[in-house]
């Protein structure tokens, strides 16, 4: 057995949101006889707790910040150079836009042998100003020159990277997110879980999962509730996640007088179990890479109503395994929820197709295999 490849994965936030979950699902399944992995992130938190339980080492760099701050960004840049030189990683794999840029430039200066970056959705999106798109595209091109491989999780971002010459085709590869479907179709005690959630045994339940902030647009989900309740007055709406918009959303719920029908559950470690006992999954994001929460709902055999944005429209084919709606359109969202509540056979058909798609197209083991091939190809090229 040859020498193991020494990997570092660079994140910022120590939470377990979609990007962090995708990274953890990958690194926790890498062949231990071929790879060693260290995670670099801003601080200790839920992510580092999970890493510790899996005996995956991590390095904390407090200067890593999500927001742009020239002082901290320069400090993080210097600290990354020191960290890379000290640990002599064979491959540094960065995630998301800002750590992706700083990490790749620092890696180049530190003479890291191989640099990999995953685009979980570019920093610019459908709602970005043209000047922002122009600037971020230039930065991505610059970082692309330092990259040995750029992994992109959806078709539209892949085509954009090619068309805008962010990198040459031989540096780009599409590897979607993936999940372990078995985690989402295990038998759950339906009555016990519903009792725990304070949801009635026969109460039709709609669920949304995501951080409560601008990108996820949770207000659109909440504004759809009164329209659904006009036809199905006993429905329950579950919101899993927390974030900076929670107080505003609680106020909106009071204004709409729907407090009895909407429950905030906060972040949960039993999302896979909760998804087993709900009827419909809703996702109202304004932009995404490739939504892990939608994949989780699909694996759970649930019909999905989601916004028609890049990534989402690769997972959900309108009218075939769910419905796509215009971003921000709470009336259209309510209409599609009502359609599914009114037609159980349609909902079940969508759910079955979703489970089949996850097994056939979004299996985490395939993601791991393809990524290991990327590592080995660039390391021994």
């Amino acid at each position: 057995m040859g020498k193991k490849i020494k990997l570092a994965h660079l994140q910022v936030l120590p939470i377990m949101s979609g990007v962090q979950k995708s990274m953890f699902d990958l690194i926790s399944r890498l062949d231990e006889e071929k790879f060693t992995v260290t995670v670099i992130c801003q601080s200790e938190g839920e992510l580092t707790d999970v890493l510790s339980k899996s005996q995956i080492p991590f390095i904390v760099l407090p200067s890593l910040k999500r927001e742009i701050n020239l002082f901290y960004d320069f400090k993080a840049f210097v600290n990354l150079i020191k960290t890379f030189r000290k640990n002599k990683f064979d491959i540094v794999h960065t995630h998301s836009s800002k750590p992706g840029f700083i990490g790749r430039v620092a890696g180049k200066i530190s003479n890291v042998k191989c640099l990999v970056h995953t685009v979980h959705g570019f920093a610019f999106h459908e709602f970005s100003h043209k000047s922002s798109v122009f600037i971020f595209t230039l930065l991505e091109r610059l970082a692309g020159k330092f990259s040995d491989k750029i992994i992109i999780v959806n078709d539209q971002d892949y085509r954009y990277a090619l068309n805008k010459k962010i990198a040459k085709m031989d540096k780009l590869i599409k590897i979607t997110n993936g999940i372990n479907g078995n985690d989402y179709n295990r038998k759950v005690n339906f009555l016990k879980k519903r009792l725990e959630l304070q949801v009635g045994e026969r109460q039709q339940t709609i669920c949304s999962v995501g951080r409560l902030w601008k990108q996820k647009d949770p207000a659109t989900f909440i504004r759809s509730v009164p329209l659904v309740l006009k036809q199905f007055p006993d429905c329950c709406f579950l919101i899993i996640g927390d974030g900076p918009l929670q107080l505003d959303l609680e106020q909106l719920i009071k204004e709409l007088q729907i407090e009895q029908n909407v429950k905030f559950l906060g972040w949960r470690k039993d999302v896979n179990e909760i998804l087993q006992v709900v009827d419909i999954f809703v996702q109202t994001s304004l932009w995404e890479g490739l939504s892990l929460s939608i994949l989780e709902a699909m694996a759970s055999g649930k019909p999905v109503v989601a916004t028609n944005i890049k990534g989402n429209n690769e997972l959900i084919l309108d009218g075939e395994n769910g419905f796509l709606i215009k971003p921000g359109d709470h009336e259209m969202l309510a209409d599609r929820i009502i359609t599914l509540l009114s037609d159980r056979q349609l909902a079940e058909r969508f759910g079955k197709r979703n489970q089949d798609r996850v097994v056939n197209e979004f299996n985490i083991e395939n993601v791991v295999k393809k990524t290991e091939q990327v590592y080995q190809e660039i390391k021994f090229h």
Side-chain angles (χ1 to χ4, degrees):
M1 179 60 64
K3 183 181 177 182
K4 293 182 181 181
I5 296 175
K6 194 173 183 181
L7 276 168
H9 275 252
L10 176 61
Q11 288 278 359
V12 175
L13 298 178
I15 60 177
M16 283 298 283
S17 192
V19 173
Q20 291 82 3
K21 283 183 181 179
S22 296
M23 180 202 71
F24 177 76
D25 286 345
L26 167 66
I27 64 176
S28 61
R29 290 174 169 82
L30 291 173
D31 189 337
E32 293 182 357
E33 294 186 357
K34 297 178 181 178
F35 304 95
T36 64
V37 187
T38 300
V39 173
I40 303 170
C41 61
Q42 178 194 71
S43 60
E44 294 189 19
E46 189 179 0
L47 171 61
T48 57
D49 290 344
V50 172
L51 293 172
S52 295
K53 289 178 182 177
S54 299
Q55 297 183 318
I56 298 173
F58 59 88
I59 297 170
V60 169
L61 293 182
S63 53
L64 283 170
K65 305 290 183 184
R66 189 178 187 279
E67 300 78 14
I68 295 175
N69 181 304
L70 293 180
F71 173 76
Y72 282 111
D73 292 346
F74 180 74
K75 192 174 180 180
F77 177 67
V78 172
N79 288 336
L80 283 172
I81 291 173
K82 292 178 180 178
T83 301
F84 293 160
R85 286 177 174 170
K86 178 181 178 181
N87 290 276
K88 295 181 171 58
F89 297 113
D90 296 307
I91 299 174
V92 169
H93 187 154
T94 61
H95 297 266
S96 301
S97 297
K98 183 179 166 182
F101 181 79
I102 295 175
R104 281 179 283 175
V105 177
K108 187 67 175 179
I109 292 174
S110 308
N111 294 317
V112 174
K113 297 174 185 176
C114 304
L115 296 168
V116 178
H117 176 62
T118 294
V119 177
H120 298 276
F122 286 116
F124 44 87
H125 45 79
E126 293 91 330
F127 298 91
S128 296
H129 193 276
K130 288 184 179 180
S131 60
S132 297
V133 175
F134 177 75
I135 292 169
F136 281 116
T137 299
L138 288 180
L139 292 174
E140 289 288 352
R141 281 181 191 160
L142 176 60
K145 294 181 183 299
F146 304 145
S147 308
D148 293 280
K149 212 71 172 180
I150 298 175
I151 296 171
I152 301 180
V153 299
N154 68 60
D155 284 331
Q156 291 177 66
D157 281 337
Y158 181 87
R159 291 195 297 270
Y160 185 90
L162 270 181
N163 293 337
K164 297 299 181 180
K165 297 180 172 57
I166 286 173
K168 294 180 180 179
M169 184 179 288
D170 61 352
K171 285 189 177 184
L172 300 174
I173 183 170
K174 180 191 169 187
I175 303 178
T176 67
N177 291 336
I179 61 173
N180 180 5
N182 292 331
D183 289 341
Y184 295 88
N185 57 25
R186 294 172 181 166
K187 287 190 176 181
V188 174
N189 187 318
F190 183 89
L191 293 179
K192 183 179 179 181
K193 180 57 68 173
R194 283 217 162 193
L195 183 63
E196 175 192 329
L197 298 172
Q198 297 182 322
V199 176
E201 177 183 349
R202 297 187 178 183
Q203 192 173 16
Q204 291 177 300
T205 306
I206 300 94
C207 176
S208 180
V209 179
R211 190 162 183 254
L212 304 180
W213 72 307
K214 179 182 177 181
Q215 177 201 352
K216 304 298 183 181
D217 189 24
T220 290
F221 180 47
I222 290 171
R223 289 193 177 97
S224 74
V225 173
L227 300 178
V228 176
L229 293 178
K230 286 181 180 179
Q231 295 198 36
F232 294 90
D234 191 42
C235 275
C236 179
F237 296 79
L238 303 179
I239 299 174
I240 300 175
D242 58 25
L245 292 181
Q246 180 154 343
L247 292 178
D248 292 339
L249 297 171
E250 289 174 352
Q251 181 60 37
L252 177 60
I253 287 170
K254 289 180 181 178
E255 292 173 4
L256 295 173
Q257 299 181 340
I258 53 175
E259 300 101 310
Q260 300 302 313
N261 298 85
V262 181
K263 299 179 187 295
F264 286 97
L265 301 184
W267 282 116
R268 303 278 299 217
K269 295 182 179 180
D270 59 345
V271 172
N272 58 333
E273 295 182 0
I274 294 174
L275 287 172
Q276 292 292 307
V277 302
V278 303
D279 298 292
I280 298 169
F281 182 82
V282 168
Q283 196 252 47
T284 53
S285 292
L286 300 177
W287 66 89
E288 285 285 348
L290 196 74
S291 172
L292 201 63
S293 65
I294 290 181
L295 282 173
E296 291 171 341
M298 291 171 67
S300 302
K302 302 304 169 184
V304 175
V305 184
T307 42
N308 188 5
I309 57 173
K310 65 182 179 182
N312 285 4
N313 50 28
E314 293 179 32
L315 297 175
I316 303 302
L317 307 177
D318 191 41
E320 293 189 24
N321 63 330
F323 290 124
L324 294 172
I325 64 163
K326 181 180 177 182
D329 192 336
H330 69 279
E331 293 181 352
M332 188 176 184
L333 173 58
D335 178 77
R336 299 304 186 267
I337 292 172
I338 290 168
T339 297
L340 290 170
L341 291 174
S342 303
D343 190 340
R344 285 187 175 272
Q345 288 186 336
L346 177 65
E348 289 175 3
R349 189 158 63 246
F350 284 175
K352 179 62 169 63
R353 288 173 180 170
N354 280 332
Q355 279 187 316
D356 292 342
R357 282 205 76 194
V358 168
V359 171
N360 295 327
E361 301 178 44
F362 302 101
N363 189 308
I364 185 61
E365 299 304 331
N366 293 335
V367 173
V368 174
K369 182 179 179 181
K370 290 177 181 178
T371 308
E372 286 185 343
Q373 288 174 347
V374 167
Y375 292 154
Q376 291 177 311
E377 286 173 6
I378 62 174
K379 175 66 172 66
F380 300 112
H381 181 67

